[in-house]
Amino acid sequence: MISGRDRPDALEKRKATRAAHLSYWGDLGADLKLAGPYLDENGNPSGSLIIIEAPTLLAARTYAEADPYVTQGVFESVGVTEWMWAVNEPEKATS
């Protein structure tokens, strides 16, 4: 699980970098499990939650560090934590 929090003044930079950010994570294909922005009290993006499947925590950290939101200074902080999908995992859902 990757959790990035935007710099306070990053909204315009986020908008300018969004296409590169989405393309970067989209290149993971099926290893990108889900992603979306955190929203502030005005409904503006203020960070991102990204859940990926990676072979190791180090691989996930390395991938997160190359995110355009990191390299272009949108995120003020980024955390990478091992996470286990415990409820409603799509691959285990039954019809």
Side-chain angles (χ1 to χ4, degrees), residues 3-95:
S3 179
R5 293 294 183 166
D6 292 4
R7 295 180 186 285
D9 59 349
L11 184 57
E12 292 307 313
K13 188 174 276 193
R14 171 184 265 273
K15 290 176 183 178
T17 311
R18 185 172 188 266
H21 166 78
L22 293 176
S23 175
Y24 178 77
W25 289 104
D27 286 347
L28 276 180
D31 287 339
L32 174 64
K33 300 304 180 184
L34 63 92
Y38 298 120
L39 302 177
D40 67 16
E41 61 279 354
N42 297 315
N44 292 315
S46 61
S48 298
L49 173 67
I50 304 159
I51 298 184
I52 66 172
E53 186 169 331
T56 65
L57 191 55
L58 178 59
R61 282 189 183 120
T62 300
Y63 206 80
E65 289 169 2
D67 178 349
Y69 279 178
V70 173
T71 63
Q72 298 302 307
V74 174
F75 286 159
E76 180 173 57
S77 64
V78 179
V80 180
T81 306
E82 189 169 356
W83 179 78
M84 181 183 74
W85 203 322
V87 178
N88 291 333
E89 182 179 356
E91 291 82 16
K92 294 184 181 175
T94 58
S95 12

